PDB file of all heavy atoms in Angstrom:
ATOM      1  N   VAL A 579       6.357  -1.253  -0.435  1.00 96.00           N
ATOM      2  CA  VAL A 579       5.746   0.085  -0.561  1.00 96.00           C
ATOM      3  C   VAL A 579       4.538   0.070   0.326  1.00 96.00           C
ATOM      4  O   VAL A 579       4.535   1.068   1.191  1.00 96.00           O
ATOM      5  CB  VAL A 579       5.337   0.412  -1.985  1.00 96.00           C
ATOM      6  CG1 VAL A 579       4.326   1.609  -2.111  1.00 96.00           C
ATOM      7  CG2 VAL A 579       6.537   0.643  -2.820  1.00 96.00           C
ATOM      8  N   ARG A 582       5.736   0.145   3.917  1.00 97.00           N
ATOM      9  CA  ARG A 582       6.339   1.459   4.162  1.00 97.00           C
ATOM     10  C   ARG A 582       5.215   2.539   4.383  1.00 97.00           C
ATOM     11  O   ARG A 582       5.255   3.330   5.361  1.00 97.00           O
ATOM     12  CB  ARG A 582       7.162   1.905   3.058  1.00 97.00           C
ATOM     13  CG  ARG A 582       7.817   3.333   3.248  1.00 97.00           C
ATOM     14  CD  ARG A 582       8.890   3.363   4.271  1.00 97.00           C
ATOM     15  NE  ARG A 582       9.392   4.740   4.530  1.00 97.00           N
ATOM     16  CZ  ARG A 582       9.302   5.302   5.706  1.00 97.00           C
ATOM     17  NH1 ARG A 582       9.016   4.717   6.800  1.00 97.00           N
ATOM     18  NH2 ARG A 582       9.845   6.571   5.746  1.00 97.00           N
ATOM     19  N   ALA A 583       4.126   2.450   3.651  1.00 98.00           N
ATOM     20  CA  ALA A 583       2.911   3.314   3.864  1.00 98.00           C
ATOM     21  C   ALA A 583       2.307   3.040   5.217  1.00 98.00           C
ATOM     22  O   ALA A 583       1.961   3.938   5.868  1.00 98.00           O
ATOM     23  CB  ALA A 583       1.908   3.098   2.768  1.00 98.00           C
ATOM     24  N   ILE A 586       4.428   4.657   7.748  1.00 98.00           N
ATOM     25  CA  ILE A 586       4.292   6.044   7.761  1.00 98.00           C
ATOM     26  C   ILE A 586       2.902   6.544   8.419  1.00 98.00           C
ATOM     27  O   ILE A 586       2.943   7.468   9.186  1.00 98.00           O
ATOM     28  CB  ILE A 586       4.310   6.668   6.187  1.00 98.00           C
ATOM     29  CG1 ILE A 586       5.668   6.496   5.684  1.00 98.00           C
ATOM     30  CG2 ILE A 586       3.819   8.168   6.155  1.00 98.00           C
ATOM     31  CD1 ILE A 586       5.853   6.598   4.174  1.00 98.00           C
ATOM     32  N   SER A 589       3.423   6.390  12.064  1.00 98.00           N
ATOM     33  CA  SER A 589       4.203   7.595  12.578  1.00 98.00           C
ATOM     34  C   SER A 589       3.321   8.813  12.823  1.00 98.00           C
ATOM     35  O   SER A 589       3.744   9.714  13.469  1.00 98.00           O
ATOM     36  CB  SER A 589       5.333   7.863  11.624  1.00 98.00           C
ATOM     37  OG  SER A 589       4.908   8.494  10.467  1.00 98.00           O
ATOM     38  N   LYS A 590       2.058   8.669  12.231  1.00 98.00           N
ATOM     39  CA  LYS A 590       1.223   9.970  12.376  1.00 98.00           C
ATOM     40  C   LYS A 590       0.243   9.802  13.615  1.00 98.00           C
ATOM     41  O   LYS A 590      -0.698  10.553  13.734  1.00 98.00           O
ATOM     42  CB  LYS A 590       0.456  10.070  11.068  1.00 98.00           C
ATOM     43  CG  LYS A 590       1.278  10.529   9.956  1.00 98.00           C
ATOM     44  CD  LYS A 590       2.136  11.860  10.387  1.00 98.00           C
ATOM     45  CE  LYS A 590       3.060  12.281   9.356  1.00 98.00           C
ATOM     46  NZ  LYS A 590       3.780  13.619   9.786  1.00 98.00           N
ATOM     47  N   PRO A 602       0.784  17.377   6.368  1.00 98.00           N
ATOM     48  CA  PRO A 602       1.440  16.375   7.139  1.00 98.00           C
ATOM     49  C   PRO A 602       1.029  16.303   8.753  1.00 98.00           C
ATOM     50  O   PRO A 602       1.463  15.446   9.488  1.00 98.00           O
ATOM     51  CB  PRO A 602       2.933  16.583   7.132  1.00 98.00           C
ATOM     52  CG  PRO A 602       2.911  18.121   6.871  1.00 98.00           C
ATOM     53  CD  PRO A 602       1.712  18.596   6.169  1.00 98.00           C
ATOM     54  N   THR A 611      -4.381   7.953   3.987  1.00 98.00           N
ATOM     55  CA  THR A 611      -3.809   6.905   3.130  1.00 98.00           C
ATOM     56  C   THR A 611      -3.228   7.552   1.925  1.00 98.00           C
ATOM     57  O   THR A 611      -2.092   6.993   1.492  1.00 98.00           O
ATOM     58  CB  THR A 611      -5.070   6.025   2.612  1.00 98.00           C
ATOM     59  OG1 THR A 611      -6.021   6.749   2.096  1.00 98.00           O
ATOM     60  CG2 THR A 611      -5.590   5.188   3.701  1.00 98.00           C
ATOM     61  N   LEU A 612      -3.678   8.575   1.402  1.00 98.00           N
ATOM     62  CA  LEU A 612      -3.059   9.341   0.332  1.00 98.00           C
ATOM     63  C   LEU A 612      -1.627   9.784   0.731  1.00 98.00           C
ATOM     64  O   LEU A 612      -0.599   9.563  -0.095  1.00 98.00           O
ATOM     65  CB  LEU A 612      -3.883  10.463  -0.060  1.00 98.00           C
ATOM     66  CG  LEU A 612      -3.319  11.483  -1.268  1.00 98.00           C
ATOM     67  CD1 LEU A 612      -4.470  11.920  -2.086  1.00 98.00           C
ATOM     68  CD2 LEU A 612      -2.708  12.550  -0.573  1.00 98.00           C
ATOM     69  N   TYR A 613      -1.576  10.417   1.824  1.00 98.00           N
ATOM     70  CA  TYR A 613      -0.232  10.938   2.315  1.00 98.00           C
ATOM     71  C   TYR A 613       0.689   9.761   2.476  1.00 98.00           C
ATOM     72  O   TYR A 613       1.897   9.910   2.029  1.00 98.00           O
ATOM     73  CB  TYR A 613      -0.425  11.624   3.582  1.00 98.00           C
ATOM     74  CG  TYR A 613       0.846  12.098   4.267  1.00 98.00           C
ATOM     75  CD1 TYR A 613       1.380  13.386   3.996  1.00 98.00           C
ATOM     76  CD2 TYR A 613       1.414  11.369   5.221  1.00 98.00           C
ATOM     77  CE1 TYR A 613       2.491  13.788   4.520  1.00 98.00           C
ATOM     78  CE2 TYR A 613       2.578  11.823   5.949  1.00 98.00           C
ATOM     79  CZ  TYR A 613       3.134  13.081   5.522  1.00 98.00           C
ATOM     80  OH  TYR A 613       4.341  13.466   6.079  1.00 98.00           O
ATOM     81  N   SER A 614       0.308   8.751   3.175  1.00 98.00           N
ATOM     82  CA  SER A 614       1.200   7.602   3.490  1.00 98.00           C
ATOM     83  C   SER A 614       1.767   6.993   2.293  1.00 98.00           C
ATOM     84  O   SER A 614       2.935   6.584   2.152  1.00 98.00           O
ATOM     85  CB  SER A 614       0.442   6.496   4.395  1.00 98.00           C
ATOM     86  OG  SER A 614       0.024   7.214   5.490  1.00 98.00           O
ATOM     87  N   PHE A 615       0.839   6.598   1.218  1.00 98.00           N
ATOM     88  CA  PHE A 615       1.364   6.042   0.130  1.00 98.00           C
ATOM     89  C   PHE A 615       2.122   6.986  -0.793  1.00 98.00           C
ATOM     90  O   PHE A 615       3.059   6.483  -1.501  1.00 98.00           O
ATOM     91  CB  PHE A 615       0.114   5.330  -0.701  1.00 98.00           C
ATOM     92  CG  PHE A 615      -0.175   4.088  -0.238  1.00 98.00           C
ATOM     93  CD1 PHE A 615      -1.033   3.849   0.746  1.00 98.00           C
ATOM     94  CD2 PHE A 615       0.387   2.924  -0.802  1.00 98.00           C
ATOM     95  CE1 PHE A 615      -1.387   2.586   1.204  1.00 98.00           C
ATOM     96  CE2 PHE A 615       0.148   1.578  -0.253  1.00 98.00           C
ATOM     97  CZ  PHE A 615      -0.785   1.446   0.772  1.00 98.00           C
ATOM     98  N   LYS A 616       1.767   8.283  -0.842  1.00 98.00           N
ATOM     99  CA  LYS A 616       2.624   9.247  -1.580  1.00 98.00           C
ATOM    100  C   LYS A 616       4.066   9.204  -1.034  1.00 98.00           C
ATOM    101  O   LYS A 616       4.999   9.238  -1.705  1.00 98.00           O
ATOM    102  CB  LYS A 616       1.980  10.637  -1.486  1.00 98.00           C
ATOM    103  CG  LYS A 616       2.647  11.709  -2.388  1.00 98.00           C
ATOM    104  CD  LYS A 616       2.059  12.963  -2.339  1.00 98.00           C
ATOM    105  CE  LYS A 616       2.700  14.069  -3.278  1.00 98.00           C
ATOM    106  NZ  LYS A 616       2.063  15.273  -3.161  1.00 98.00           N
ATOM    107  N   ARG A 617       4.209   9.192   0.301  1.00 98.00           N
ATOM    108  CA  ARG A 617       5.636   9.292   0.898  1.00 98.00           C
ATOM    109  C   ARG A 617       6.250   7.876   0.522  1.00 98.00           C
ATOM    110  O   ARG A 617       7.467   7.870   0.655  1.00 98.00           O
ATOM    111  CB  ARG A 617       5.413   9.565   2.435  1.00 98.00           C
ATOM    112  CG  ARG A 617       4.951  10.827   2.860  1.00 98.00           C
ATOM    113  CD  ARG A 617       5.927  12.033   2.745  1.00 98.00           C
ATOM    114  NE  ARG A 617       7.257  11.599   3.255  1.00 98.00           N
ATOM    115  CZ  ARG A 617       7.731  12.006   4.488  1.00 98.00           C
ATOM    116  NH1 ARG A 617       6.978  12.827   5.190  1.00 98.00           N
ATOM    117  NH2 ARG A 617       8.812  11.573   4.916  1.00 98.00           N
ATOM    118  N   ALA A 618       5.475   6.892   0.484  1.00 98.00           N
ATOM    119  CA  ALA A 618       6.105   5.532   0.139  1.00 98.00           C
ATOM    120  C   ALA A 618       6.396   5.367  -1.328  1.00 98.00           C
ATOM    121  O   ALA A 618       7.070   4.442  -1.703  1.00 98.00           O
ATOM    122  CB  ALA A 618       5.311   4.463   0.607  1.00 98.00           C
ATOM    123  N   GLY A 619       5.927   6.312  -2.123  1.00 97.00           N
ATOM    124  CA  GLY A 619       6.164   6.315  -3.638  1.00 97.00           C
ATOM    125  C   GLY A 619       5.147   5.930  -4.568  1.00 97.00           C
ATOM    126  O   GLY A 619       5.338   5.753  -5.746  1.00 97.00           O
ATOM    127  N   LYS A 620       3.862   5.879  -4.035  1.00 97.00           N
ATOM    128  CA  LYS A 620       2.694   5.623  -4.865  1.00 97.00           C
ATOM    129  C   LYS A 620       1.715   6.680  -4.860  1.00 97.00           C
ATOM    130  O   LYS A 620       1.418   7.126  -3.640  1.00 97.00           O
ATOM    131  CB  LYS A 620       2.030   4.314  -4.446  1.00 97.00           C
ATOM    132  CG  LYS A 620       2.884   3.050  -4.759  1.00 97.00           C
ATOM    133  CD  LYS A 620       2.813   2.705  -6.299  1.00 97.00           C
ATOM    134  CE  LYS A 620       3.494   1.432  -6.566  1.00 97.00           C
ATOM    135  NZ  LYS A 620       3.323   1.071  -7.941  1.00 97.00           N
ATOM    136  N   GLN A 621       1.151   7.014  -5.920  1.00 97.00           N
ATOM    137  CA  GLN A 621       0.046   7.965  -6.006  1.00 97.00           C
ATOM    138  C   GLN A 621      -1.379   7.376  -5.814  1.00 97.00           C
ATOM    139  O   GLN A 621      -1.529   6.252  -6.351  1.00 97.00           O
ATOM    140  CB  GLN A 621      -0.021   8.754  -7.322  1.00 97.00           C
ATOM    141  CG  GLN A 621       1.307   9.532  -7.614  1.00 97.00           C
ATOM    142  CD  GLN A 621       1.520  10.733  -6.638  1.00 97.00           C
ATOM    143  OE1 GLN A 621       0.472  11.418  -6.270  1.00 97.00           O
ATOM    144  NE2 GLN A 621       2.611  11.056  -6.266  1.00 97.00           N
TER     145      GLN A 621
END
Side-chain angles (χ1 to χ4, degrees):
V579 167
R582 179 71 184 125
I586 292 164
S589 77
K590 295 302 177 178
T611 54
L612 178 143
Y613 176 86
S614 299
F615 275 91
K616 183 176 183 180
R617 294 285 310 261
K620 287 285 185 178
Q621 295 292 327

